[in-house]
């Protein structure tokens, strides 16, 4: 993922007496990303000796990568030597020149006797130097080095971090600039804040052509190019934490345990992932280099800025540090700190964190105490809470931390609020009354957020905390159970926690009923319809006695979808139970109303009321902006609706972002993984399809969302049938049919039943197919489900195809296709139309191929073009326009997708109905255009 630019690897010997001898040129470094303009400038300047190239930029901005690429290019034509200076070493006289010249491999040009003065410094070159004079002075040695440099011929000398060059080497370099050798290119990199305005050599013009290239931090787009294919939100998060410094970007991404997570992350997930990454040691070392030599007031101010964290005025920093603020301006000039509109602080958060963590614990605590005293109540609560916690002031931490959580809730940032509350309840010294109050708030807000994996162990610990009363611990158990239901495999434990807790005396009524409502949901577990209805009845009896308000709406949100799924009420009647108006300032009520609408939309999507589902979602998603988990469930429904409607462009990326934002939340991720699997199947990527479909919870269906699992089972059976593996297909649909019969929730039959009939027909198990159809027809008779009826019509057509002549079956398929088309389901309608056409119905295969291509179903499109050719239909040219250059043609793009999936030429030919020779030619072109040396290399780079 990360296009590393060599910021750490192979740094080479340092300047100074301990430096290793020999020339170092950074080997094999890739072209610096997002630095094309700067690279072009230094390359052009270095072409025309004698030339001086000054590369200026702050620490970590990418100067080293730039000159490394320059050295690589120059080294093709002539000798190049590169050396980096290091302030941590004693700077021996002429140290940088010794390191640069000691490995010179060729004979010198004409040398004067002065060159012998360097013999004591360069004994490696003794066979090519004149005799040494007796006890030469420093000036004579400097003249000798100047003589040697003049005799090198065409060379490029690169000195990195030239602000730390020893003074004797600097004297020689200035003399070289004043009287340059004809073949010399001298490249110096440096930090502008540590030298004068003219650079490390001063403002003297000299006789070399001088080019100054300023390397600036990257913008958001540049950061995105450095790290590879990530979303704008991830690039922005990286930019905020690194200020666009490529060094910091590279080290931060390199420290992420699984960098692939960043490809899928949205803004919130990216902040969470990056926020958990410790400061890389390389960043710590870089900051230590910058701070080396600071002492007294300057060091105190830097430490104060690290503790204050946010940009602050010089007066605040000096008051916290307890020193005169006059040093602030010097620190800004040295670029240790930077000045922004918000105040003075560190250039990027990682730098501040590195300095903060380097402070002794006692010093950190003292500075937090000072910050708390200086800032008073003027600053945001979250900053005051941070200082109170750092100072060990429990009372103030509790006051400011609760206020920070409340401010986050009011701003709709429940995840941030949960973070503060989690830290507060983990404090062992927290009084019992305060703990009980915070735990109740934490449970409520934790259910709305997406941090259940972090919150579950916190609640498990609180459940055993003896400071809490039995009633409060029961409420913790209910909250814990509701969170456990999101985690794969934890449903039995969740069930036990809730069943035990709801019987505890004194548990808040709404909280207890919300736990009870879970048992009325048929989606999770193996409860029968009768059991679900019994639990629903208990909750609804209480709802009817409740006045309008957020508590009533909370319980409705937990039960309406179950009643609609079981057919116990119609959509309109259930919506009438919800409030038509809610106080716009009552955020909790708005969230619960939004949750209710999102839940109803999900059921409407399974039943086939697609337009109504979208309308409910539009209203619902607006209400749950501040509830990330609930919003993600609604977005998952939206993704499935877009799959059904054929709105596939960008759909896989949207689904991936939802998965990244909800790790381990199977009720959310299962649905979007289903859609990703279906998309992959349509694109011919069966390997990825199977991975995604199994990620829906197939390994433990009782802990997964049942309709999602049934749809995944149906898709896997189709994959097996297409491979000719009828036995596996039947194994899949048998398991799905068993779930459907056991739970008797026929609202979930639309995906499974047509696939099951196809598998049973292929296995000649027609009685099993008829029995399932009869049960389904009876089960959906009382349900308002257009999609259910259309799917049943398709299933009857599949059964008829097994026993009836084509002229009987084709109209059945055509009628079923029309039903799907009327519902706005183009892909499913096209598959049924294709079956009708194969049986002789007057449908155009070319028109079907076009429909499939517009959707992105390339395999089906190829299949229909093949049918058209076999039927003798005149075919338009598929060669397309000439001259695609290095881009893939449409046909090559189709083959490339299958090639990346690991398909052989024979398999690709069979899938796309082409000759093997044609496929071989296309594969050769694909490898050539992508610069892949072999098929294995291409699959390794582009495979799923």
């Amino acid at each position: 993922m990360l296009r590393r630019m060599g910021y750490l690897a192979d740094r080479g010997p340092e300047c100074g007496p301990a430096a290793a001898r020999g020339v170092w040129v950074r080997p094999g470094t890739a072209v610096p990303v997002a630095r094309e303009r700067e690279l072009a400038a230094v390359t052009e300047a270095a072409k025309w000796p004698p030339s001086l190239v000054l590369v200026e930029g702050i620490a970590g901005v990418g100067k080293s990568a730039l000159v490394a690429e320059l050295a690589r290019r120059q080294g093709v034509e002539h000798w190049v030597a590169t050396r980096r200076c290091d302030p941590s070493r004693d700077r021996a006289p002429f140290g940088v020149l010794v390191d640069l010249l000691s490995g010179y491999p060729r004979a010198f040009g004409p040398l004067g006797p002065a060159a012998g003065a360097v013999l004591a410094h360069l004994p490696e070159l003794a066979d090519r130097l004149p005799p040494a004079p007796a006890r030469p002075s420093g000036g004579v040695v400097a003249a000798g080095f100047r003589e040697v440099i003049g005799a090198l011929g065409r060379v490029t000398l690169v000195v990195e971090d030239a602000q730390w060059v020893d003074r004797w080497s600097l004297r020689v370099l200035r003399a070289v600039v004043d009287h340059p050798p004809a073949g010399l290119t001298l490249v110096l990199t440096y930090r502008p804040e540590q030298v004068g305005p003219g650079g490390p050599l001063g403002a003297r013009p000299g006789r070399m052509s001088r080019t100054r290239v300023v390397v600036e931090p990257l913008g958001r787009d540049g950061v995105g190019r450095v790290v590879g294919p990530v979303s704008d939100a991830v690039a922005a998060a990286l930019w905020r934490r690194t200020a666009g410094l490529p060094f910091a970007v590279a080290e931060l991404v390199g420290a992420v345990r699984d960098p692939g997570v960043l490809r899928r992350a949205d803004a919130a997930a990216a902040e969470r992932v990056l926020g958990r990454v410790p400061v890389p040691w390389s960043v710590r070392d870089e900051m230590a280099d910058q701070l080396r030599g600071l002492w007294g007031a300057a060091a105190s101010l830097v430490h104060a800025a690290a503790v204050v964290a946010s940009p602050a005025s010089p007066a605040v920093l000096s008051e916290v540090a307890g020193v005169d603020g006059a040093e602030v301006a010097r620190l800004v000039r040295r670029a240790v700190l930077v000045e922004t509109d918000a105040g003075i602080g560190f250039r990027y958060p990682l730098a501040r964190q590195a300095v903060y963590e380097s402070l002794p614990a006692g010093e950190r605590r003292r500075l937090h105490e000072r910050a708390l005293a200086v800032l008073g109540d003027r600053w945001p609560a979250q900053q005051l809470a941070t200082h109170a916690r750092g100072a060990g002031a429990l009372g103030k931490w509790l006051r400011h931390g609760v206020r920070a959580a409340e401010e986050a809730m009011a701003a709709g940032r429940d995840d941030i609020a949960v973070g503060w509350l989690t830290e507060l309840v983990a404090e062992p010294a927290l009084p019992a009354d305060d703990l009980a109050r915070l735990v109740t708030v934490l449970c409520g807000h934790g259910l709305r957020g997406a941090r259940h994996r972090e919150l579950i162990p916190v609640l498990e610990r609180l459940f055993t905390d003896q400071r809490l009363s039995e009633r409060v611990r029961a409420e913790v158990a209910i909250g814990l159970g509701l969170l456990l239901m999101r985690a794969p495999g934890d449903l039995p434990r969740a069930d036990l926690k809730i069943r035990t807790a709801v019987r505890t005396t004194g548990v808040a009524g709404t909280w207890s009923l919300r736990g009870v409502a879970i048992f009325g949901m048929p989606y999770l577990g193996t409860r029968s319809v009768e059991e679900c209805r019994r639990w629903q009845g208990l909750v609804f009896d209480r709802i009817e006695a409740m006045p309008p308000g957020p508590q009533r709406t909370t319980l409705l949100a937990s039960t309406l979808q179950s009643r609609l799924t079981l057919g116990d009420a119609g959509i309109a009647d259930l919506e009438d139970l919800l409030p038509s108006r809610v106080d716009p300032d009552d955020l909790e009520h708005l969230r619960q109303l939004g949750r209710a609408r999102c839940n109803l939309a999900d059921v409407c999507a399974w039943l086939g009321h697609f337009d109504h589902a979208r309308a409910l979602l539009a209203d619902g998603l607006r209400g749950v902006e501040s509830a990330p988990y609930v919003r993600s469930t609604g977005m998952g429904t939206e993704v499935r609706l877009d799959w059904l409607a054929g709105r596939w462009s960008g759909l896989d990326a949207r689904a991936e972002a939802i998965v990244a934002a909800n790790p381990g939340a199977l009720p959310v991720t299962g649905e979007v993984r289903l859609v990703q699997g279906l998309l992959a199947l349509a694109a011919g990527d069966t390997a990825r399809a199977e991975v995604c479909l199994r990620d829906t919870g197939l390994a433990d269906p009782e802990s997964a969302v049942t309709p999602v699992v049934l749809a995944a089972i149906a898709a896997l059976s189709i994959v097996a049938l297409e491979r000719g593996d009828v036995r596996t297909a039947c194994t899949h649909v048998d398991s799905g049919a068993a779930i459907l019969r056991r739970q008797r929730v026929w609202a979930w039959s639309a995906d499974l039943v047509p696939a099951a009939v196809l598998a049973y027909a292929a296995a000649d198990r027609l009685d099993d197919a008829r029995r399932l159809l009869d049960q389904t027809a009876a089960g959906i008779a009382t349900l308002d489900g257009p999609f259910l009826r259309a799917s049943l019509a398709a299933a009857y057509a599949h059964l008829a195809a097994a026993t009836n002549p084509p002229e009987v079956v084709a109209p059945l398929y055509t009628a079923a296709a029309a039903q799907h088309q009327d519902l706005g389901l183009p892909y499913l309608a096209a598959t049924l139309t294709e079956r009708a056409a194969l049986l002789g119905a007057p449908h155009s295969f070319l028109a079907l191929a076009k429909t499939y291509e517009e959707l992105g179903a390339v395999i089906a499109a190829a299949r229909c073009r093949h049918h058209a050719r076999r039927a003798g239909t005149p075919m338009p040219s598929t060669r397309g326009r000439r001259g695609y250059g290095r881009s893939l043609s449409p046909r090559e793009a189709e083959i490339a997708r299958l090639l990346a999936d690991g398909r052989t030429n024979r398999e690709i030919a069979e899938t796309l109905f082409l000759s093997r020779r044609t496929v071989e030619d296309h594969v050769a072109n694909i490898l050539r255009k992508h610069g892949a040396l072999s098929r294995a290399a291409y699959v390794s780079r582009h495979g799923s």
Side-chain angles (χ1 to χ4, degrees):
M1 176 186 179
L2 179 65
R3 303 170 183 174
R4 294 187 66 88
M5 298 187 286
Y7 294 107
L8 289 180
D10 300 313
R11 290 183 65 164
E14 317 292 358
C15 297
R21 305 295 183 186
V23 175
W24 172 73
V25 177
R26 191 185 301 264
T29 306
V31 178
V33 179
R35 294 297 191 199
E36 293 82 1
R37 180 183 60 81
E38 295 90 340
L39 183 58
V42 297
T43 303
E44 181 64 22
K47 281 182 182 177
W48 311 105
S51 58
L52 172 64
V53 183
L54 301 173
V55 181
E56 173 183 308
I58 61 174
V61 80
K63 305 183 295 296
S64 293
L66 195 66
V67 297
E69 174 60 17
L70 172 66
R72 187 189 68 78
R73 295 183 179 190
Q74 296 285 89
V76 173
E77 301 176 353
H78 57 263
W79 189 71
V80 177
T82 301
R83 278 300 173 269
R84 180 193 301 274
C85 299
D86 184 350
S88 66
R89 298 185 183 276
D90 295 326
R91 285 179 277 184
F94 306 106
V96 66
L97 299 178
V98 170
D99 288 337
L100 282 170
L101 302 176
S102 59
Y104 184 65
R106 298 196 289 267
F108 292 111
L111 287 171
V118 306
L119 193 55
H121 296 275
L122 295 172
E124 300 91 342
L125 307 182
D127 60 328
R128 285 167 279 172
L129 293 173
R135 303 184 66 181
S137 66
V140 172
V141 174
F145 272 108
R146 164 67 187 85
E147 185 81 13
V148 169
I149 292 173
L152 295 176
R154 179 70 181 104
V155 297
T156 294
L157 302 181
V158 180
V159 180
E160 294 196 58
D161 286 329
Q163 70 275 3
W164 293 321
V165 171
D166 66 90
R167 66 186 183 89
W168 286 102
S169 296
L170 194 60
R171 177 176 174 178
V172 173
L173 293 177
R174 284 173 174 160
V176 167
V177 171
D178 288 342
H179 303 284
L184 175 65
T185 293
L186 179 61
V187 181
L188 306 180
T189 76
Y190 61 94
R191 302 176 186 180
E193 69 275 7
Q194 297 187 16
V195 299
L201 302 182
R204 59 204 303 142
R207 297 180 182 178
M208 300 179 88
S209 64
R210 177 185 294 239
T211 301
R212 175 171 163 266
V213 177
V214 178
V215 185
E216 299 284 359
L218 300 171
R220 288 178 174 83
D221 291 343
V223 169
R225 291 181 60 194
V226 167
V227 298
V230 296
S231 67
D232 291 343
V234 172
L238 284 166
W239 180 84
R240 281 192 297 272
R241 293 186 67 81
T242 63
L245 296 180
F247 163 79
V249 173
E251 296 310 311
L252 181 60
V253 175
V256 175
R257 181 174 299 177
D258 178 13
V261 170
L262 293 178
R263 287 201 189 100
R264 307 184 293 270
D266 61 7
E271 291 290 353
R272 283 199 302 274
V273 170
L274 297 176
R276 288 194 291 262
V277 175
V279 179
W281 280 107
S282 50
V283 175
R284 296 178 192 272
D285 291 344
E286 185 64 40
M287 291 310 301
D289 283 348
Q290 288 197 45
L291 302 184
R292 189 174 287 114
L294 293 182
W295 57 279
S300 296
L301 285 164
V302 172
H303 297 165
V307 170
V308 171
S310 299
S313 68
V316 167
L317 293 179
S318 62
E319 198 171 351
V320 172
V323 299
D324 186 348
E327 286 288 332
V328 172
R330 189 167 74 89
L331 291 169
V332 171
R333 284 196 301 273
R334 287 192 58 181
V336 177
L337 301 177
V338 295
E339 186 171 11
T340 65
D341 292 340
I344 291 170
F346 286 85
R347 186 175 298 276
Y348 58 105
L350 273 182
R352 184 208 69 81
Q353 188 178 346
V355 175
Y356 180 84
E357 292 177 1
S358 72
L359 297 177
E363 176 71 358
R364 285 203 300 263
R365 182 171 184 137
R366 185 186 69 80
L367 288 171
H368 278 301
E369 290 172 349
R370 296 274 306 175
L372 198 58
V374 169
L375 300 178
D377 288 340
R378 294 176 293 165
W379 282 44
Q382 66 177 39
Q383 294 180 23
L384 295 174
T386 298
H387 293 309
R389 180 181 54 192
L394 180 59
K396 292 182 178 180
W397 180 27
L398 179 60
R399 176 161 61 90
H400 294 307
V402 170
R403 190 157 65 90
E406 289 171 347
E407 288 178 359
M409 294 171 198
R413 302 298 304 274
D414 271 40
D415 276 9
I416 294 177
V418 168
W420 280 108
L421 293 169
T422 299
E423 291 181 10
L424 283 167
V425 299
E427 172 54 52
L430 196 66
D433 290 344
D434 292 322
L435 179 62
R437 176 169 57 88
L438 292 177
V439 163
T440 301
V441 177
L442 175 62
C443 288
H445 288 281
L447 292 174
R448 293 199 295 266
R451 299 175 61 173
H452 70 279
R453 292 203 298 186
E454 301 167 38
L455 200 50
I456 284 172
V458 175
L459 294 184
E460 286 179 325
R461 180 182 59 78
L462 289 170
F463 179 66
T464 62
D465 194 320
Q466 295 305 308
R467 289 175 295 171
L468 298 174
S469 67
E470 185 181 10
R471 175 189 62 79
V472 175
R473 279 187 280 128
E475 292 178 1
V476 169
I478 293 173
L480 177 58
L482 293 173
L483 290 175
L484 286 170
M485 297 186 76
R486 303 178 185 178
D490 275 335
L491 188 61
R493 196 153 60 102
D495 193 292
L496 179 61
K497 290 282 186 189
I498 295 172
R499 282 180 187 272
T500 303
V502 296
R503 298 188 179 97
T504 302
T505 304
V507 175
T510 304
W511 199 235
S512 177
L513 288 171
R514 188 166 178 184
V516 170
I518 291 296
F519 302 130
M521 291 184 180
Y523 282 80
L524 299 167
T526 58
R527 284 180 286 275
S528 66
V529 170
E530 289 76 19
E531 185 181 1
C532 289
R533 285 184 169 131
R534 186 168 64 254
W535 288 108
Q536 286 182 32
L538 290 174
V539 178
F540 252 81
D541 288 345
R542 296 290 297 275
I543 290 175
E544 290 175 354
M546 296 176 72
Q551 292 185 344
R552 185 175 190 271
T553 304
T554 297
L555 294 176
L556 286 170
S558 299
T559 53
L560 293 185
Q561 67 185 118
S562 300
R563 293 180 71 80
L564 182 59
T565 299
L566 298 180
D568 293 340
I571 299 172
D573 293 335
L574 294 173
E575 285 189 80
D576 286 343
L577 295 173
L578 294 172
S580 56
R581 292 178 58 84
V582 171
D583 181 354
D585 295 326
D586 190 343
L587 294 181
E588 175 61 16
H589 202 173
L590 287 171
R591 279 191 287 255
Q592 295 302 333
L593 180 58
R595 184 167 74 94
R597 286 172 172 159
C598 287
N599 288 345
L600 283 174
D602 183 67
V603 183
C604 287
W606 291 110
L607 293 174
H609 297 287
F610 303 119
D611 291 340
H612 196 64
R614 288 190 184 278
L616 285 167
L617 272 180
D619 290 337
L621 289 173
R622 281 195 295 269
V624 295
E625 287 284 352
S626 60
Y629 177 79
V630 181
R631 180 170 175 78
S632 293
T633 63
M635 292 169 67
T637 301
E638 192 172 48
V639 163
R640 183 159 52 86
L641 285 170
D642 285 344
W643 149 257
L644 290 165
R647 303 175 184 178
W648 295 359
S649 178
L651 192 56
D652 185 69
R654 283 168 50 202
E656 196 65 44
I658 295 171
V659 171
N662 296 272
L666 193 57
V668 174
T669 61
E671 187 165 30
V672 292
R673 281 293 193 222
L674 169 66
V675 170
Q676 288 182 297
L678 296 172
L679 287 169
L681 276 181
D685 189 349
T686 53
R688 171 169 165 75
E690 289 185 293
V691 169
C692 290
L693 292 170
R694 295 189 187 282
D695 280 349
T696 59
L698 287 181
D700 184 13
E702 293 184 5
S703 292
V705 178
T706 306
V708 171
V709 167
L710 293 176
I713 287 172
L716 285 172
S717 73
I718 297 298
V719 172
L721 284 177
E722 290 179 349
R723 289 175 175 165
D725 188 351
V726 176
R727 176 178 295 179
T728 297
C730 287
T731 299
H732 285 311
V733 298
D734 282 343
S735 67
I739 294 172
L740 196 57
R741 288 178 176 128
R742 181 175 64 245
Q743 298 200 233
R744 290 185 290 134
V745 183
W746 299 99
W748 303 332
S749 62
D751 293 285
L752 178 71
V753 171
V757 171
L758 282 173
Y760 289 149
D764 199 26
R765 292 171 53 183
L766 299 183
D767 287 343
D768 289 333
R770 294 188 186 97
R771 184 162 68 96
L772 181 60
L773 283 173
D774 290 344
Q775 290 172 323
T776 304
I780 71 172
T782 59
L783 296 177
D784 182 12
F787 186 28
L788 306 180
R789 290 191 292 275
S791 295
L792 188 62
Y796 275 123
H798 294 329
L799 179 62
T803 58
N804 291 278
E807 61 270 17
V808 173
V809 180
L812 298 178
Y813 275 127
T814 299
Q819 285 182 263
H820 283 77
Q821 193 66 48
D822 290 344
L823 290 174
L825 308 174
Y827 179 68
L828 297 177
T831 61
L832 293 166
T833 301
E834 182 183 350
R835 288 180 180 275
L838 287 170
L839 295 174
H843 302 297
S844 167
F845 283 116
L846 288 183
L848 282 169
K850 183 178 180 182
T851 297
Y852 282 134
E853 284 173 348
E854 290 171 349
L855 291 168
V858 294
I859 305 304
R863 188 175 62 235
C864 284
R865 285 195 297 268
H866 174 69
H867 294 326
R869 283 193 295 270
R870 291 187 62 185
T873 305
M875 302 292 293
S877 173
T878 59
R879 295 183 180 273
R881 60 179 174 85
R882 294 182 180 274
Y884 283 97
R886 296 194 64 81
S887 299
L888 299 183
S889 70
R891 174 65 82 192
E892 287 168 347
E894 288 180 349
I895 292 173
R897 280 191 286 268
L898 298 173
L899 179 62
D901 191 25
R903 306 283 187 94
T904 65
N905 287 352
R906 180 180 60 79
E907 290 170 335
I908 295 172
E910 290 174 354
T911 300
L912 296 179
F913 303 96
L914 301 172
S915 72
R916 289 181 65 176
R917 179 60 181 271
T918 299
V919 172
E920 289 170 2
D921 291 342
H922 282 309
V923 168
N925 287 336
I926 292 165
L927 299 182
R928 175 179 56 80
K929 290 181 179 183
H930 280 280
L933 297 179
S934 67
R935 188 188 197 99
Y938 181 86
V939 173
S940 174
R941 189 186 310 168
H942 299 278
S944 57

